[in-house]
Amino acid sequence: MFGATLSRWTMSYFAAALAFLLIGETMMVLGYGYPAAAIEAPETLALVHTIALGWLSLLMAGALLQFVPVLVGRPLCCTHLALPALVLLVAGIGGLVLGFVGLSGSIDLPPIVLPVAAALTIAGFALIGAAFAVTLWRARPLPLTARFVVVGLGALVVTVLLGGNYAFVRGGLAEADAAIALTLEGVSLHAVLGLGGWLTFTTMGVSYRLLTMFMLSPDAERRSSRVVWLSGSGALGLVAGVVPLILAGSPGRLALLVPAACLGVLAVVFYASDIFRIYRERRRREIELNTRASIGAFGALAAATVLFVGLLVTDRMEQGIGSLVYLVAFGWLTGMGLAQLYKIIPFMTWLECYGPALGRTPTPRVQDLVVERRAFGWFRAFYASVLIATLSLSVGAQPLFRLASLCQLVAILVLVLEFTRARRLSNVPASLRLPTGAQRPHLFLPSFQLWRQP
């Protein structure tokens, strides 16, 4: 992040993502979607897309606006696409959620809403994906961490196309046999490529760079990291390879999915060993809260991998898929997202506010924008609620799941308040808050000066 251009719209993506997260958490507290409804019910699809697209995908897109230039060491191309992409994504994701609610019969909406919303979402991802793709293409040869992002973007393309096919079939605009077959058999591929490829694999790549940077650990490319990339890419390629088999009506899907599962587990095992090494070899002995809170996310990823293997071996995947997806979405991806936001938001705020005054007047440190001791307890409450919710899903205890969701919602609300306080400079001593030359940042929109930047 050091030396990189400050992204104009990252904070806006984060704000939209956090709004979707709070909406999704509220839906779970109210008992909307799984486990109160079936896992394939429209109510569950509305909840899943609120979290997977509204929260996690907008968070990832906003983060990549800032981190792709850091990974490749050059400015982001096509920066003018970030705002129209955000508008299209928010409109499209909101429309998808409403479309699924309409399918449940709760509100009366025409079937065309779902395919129109899918088209808007695909257009939004196409714009922001084009900015990342052009930047990565011009930065060849790519470092290993950037190659994780390339594979993640490839998984995103297949994921949104599968989702678009589903929406067009359900909206009555696609009636071809191949499209219907892909709708019936491709939903699980859509989920695996979205959660495992776009979100998890991209997070892995970015985390290599972030953790070594924040903890001052050696960041040289290692053989084990290349094994993670190769095995993970192979697993995602095999999963994507099932799509043409479905379209052609050919057998042999199990022959691709079994080795894909083995390669996926291998990637997580080597990734875990790399993360352990990064923490062990750090030069910064006292680590900040974002890196401490990330440990819970890594623990959730390890637990999800063990659960995945256990469900496969015991042939109980259908019974445990809800717990597994929840652990990945909230323990691993949400935990990692919230932990890193606790560092990224203050750091970007500090650059935006005090960057123009550096060297001319005393300025506060980045750490002065947050109060780690106050936030630490809420991260612990978040992970405890994720653990309880996962266990309650495993045993079918719906009231306990809703209570755990309520605790999780409270913890997230407090953390969002902490992000807001950092953004508003509320924790900075008044004498240092706005020295001469400093600029108070807007809450989630870019400042006028940043709008003027190329």
Side-chain angles (χ1 to χ4, degrees):
M1 198 182 305
F2 301 100
T5 303
L6 197 61
S7 168
R8 304 177 195 178
W9 294 104
T10 286
M11 212 59 68
S12 305
Y13 276 76
F14 288 168
L18 288 167
F20 275 107
L21 174 61
L22 294 175
I23 292 171
E25 290 285 350
T26 304
M27 292 165 74
M28 289 191 290
V29 172
L30 297 176
Y32 193 87
Y34 187 82
I39 203 162
E40 68 278 6
E43 294 90 338
T44 302
L45 295 177
L47 173 61
V48 166
H49 285 78
T50 300
I51 296 299
L53 286 179
W55 157 234
L56 294 172
S57 292
L58 284 180
L59 174 69
M60 180 62 74
L64 289 181
L65 283 173
Q66 185 63 48
F67 290 125
V68 164
V70 176
L71 296 179
V72 300
R74 59 178 299 152
L76 186 75
C77 300
C78 310
T79 54
H80 61 283
L81 297 179
L83 177 58
L86 177 60
V87 173
L88 287 169
L89 285 170
V90 170
I93 295 167
L96 281 176
V97 173
L98 287 177
F100 287 121
V101 174
L103 284 181
S104 73
S106 301
I107 55 176
D108 188 18
L109 289 175
I112 194 68
V113 169
L114 210 53
V116 169
L120 292 175
T121 306
I122 292 172
F125 278 124
L127 289 183
I128 198 68
F132 299 145
V134 171
T135 305
L136 292 166
W137 177 261
R138 291 180 179 176
R140 293 168 299 152
L142 295 174
L144 182 61
T145 50
R147 279 179 269 160
F148 277 84
V149 177
V150 172
V151 175
L153 290 174
L156 173 64
V157 170
V158 183
T159 301
V160 297
L161 291 179
L162 287 172
N165 174 77
Y166 181 89
F168 273 69
V169 169
R170 292 302 300 261
L173 298 183
E175 298 178 348
D177 291 342
I180 295 173
L182 206 54
T183 297
L184 296 175
E185 302 182 51
V187 173
S188 57
L189 305 179
H190 173 68
V192 170
L193 290 169
L195 285 177
W198 159 234
L199 294 169
T200 290
F201 206 62
T202 307
T203 299
M204 284 178 168
V206 174
S207 68
Y208 276 120
R209 186 73 182 93
L210 281 184
L211 292 175
T212 53
M213 185 169 65
F214 290 150
M215 292 192 289
L216 303 179
S217 300
D219 62 352
E221 291 186 7
R222 291 175 177 263
R223 182 177 300 175
S224 57
S225 305
R226 289 193 286 272
V227 171
V228 175
W229 184 79
L230 287 171
S231 54
S233 301
L236 294 168
L238 289 171
V239 172
V242 176
V243 174
L245 293 181
I246 295 175
L247 292 174
S250 303
R253 296 157 204 181
L254 198 60
L256 294 181
L257 293 178
V258 170
C262 295
L263 287 173
V265 172
L266 180 68
V268 173
V269 169
F270 274 84
Y271 175 68
S273 70
D274 279 344
I275 294 301
F276 181 74
R277 174 188 54 77
I278 290 172
Y279 274 83
R280 189 187 58 200
E281 295 180 355
R282 71 183 187 276
R283 297 191 185 97
R284 177 172 288 171
R285 304 320 303 171
E286 295 295 328
I287 57 177
E288 296 171 300
L289 180 55
N290 64 303
T291 44
R292 275 188 289 158
S294 298
I295 295 173
F298 294 125
L301 177 62
T305 306
V306 172
L307 178 60
F308 173 70
V309 173
L311 293 174
L312 273 183
V313 171
T314 59
D315 197 22
R316 293 176 57 83
M317 185 59 73
E318 187 174 346
Q319 293 88 338
I321 188 65
S323 303
L324 178 62
V325 171
Y326 182 88
L327 192 54
V328 171
F330 287 93
W332 157 235
L333 293 170
T334 300
M336 176 63 79
L338 291 172
Q340 295 310 317
L341 283 180
Y342 194 78
K343 178 67 178 183
I344 296 169
I345 290 177
F347 189 77
M348 292 187 66
T349 303
W350 183 84
L351 281 179
E352 185 178 347
C353 180
Y354 301 111
L358 284 179
R360 291 184 288 173
T361 184
T363 59
R365 304 168 304 158
V366 177
Q367 293 90 332
D368 293 329
L369 273 64
V370 295
V371 181
E372 292 194 355
R373 182 182 300 176
R374 190 171 61 205
F376 181 54
W378 292 106
F379 274 108
R380 296 176 71 173
F382 168 79
Y383 283 116
S385 65
V386 169
L387 176 61
I388 294 171
T390 304
L391 294 175
S392 65
L393 285 176
S394 301
V395 299
Q398 290 188 33
L400 182 59
F401 174 79
R402 292 178 62 179
L403 179 61
S405 298
L406 177 60
C407 296
Q408 195 175 129
L409 174 60
V410 172
I412 292 172
L413 274 171
V414 175
L415 290 174
V416 170
L417 180 62
E418 291 295 321
F419 301 152
T420 305
R421 290 178 62 84
R423 194 72 185 150
R424 304 307 298 164
L425 311 175
S426 302
N427 299 316
V428 180
S431 58
L432 287 176
R433 189 168 298 158
L434 283 174
T436 303
Q439 302 168 355
R440 182 184 290 277
H442 298 300
L443 187 56
F444 59 88
L445 292 174
S447 65
F448 178 79
Q449 288 78 5
L450 286 174
W451 286 50
R452 293 285 187 179
Q453 286 184 2

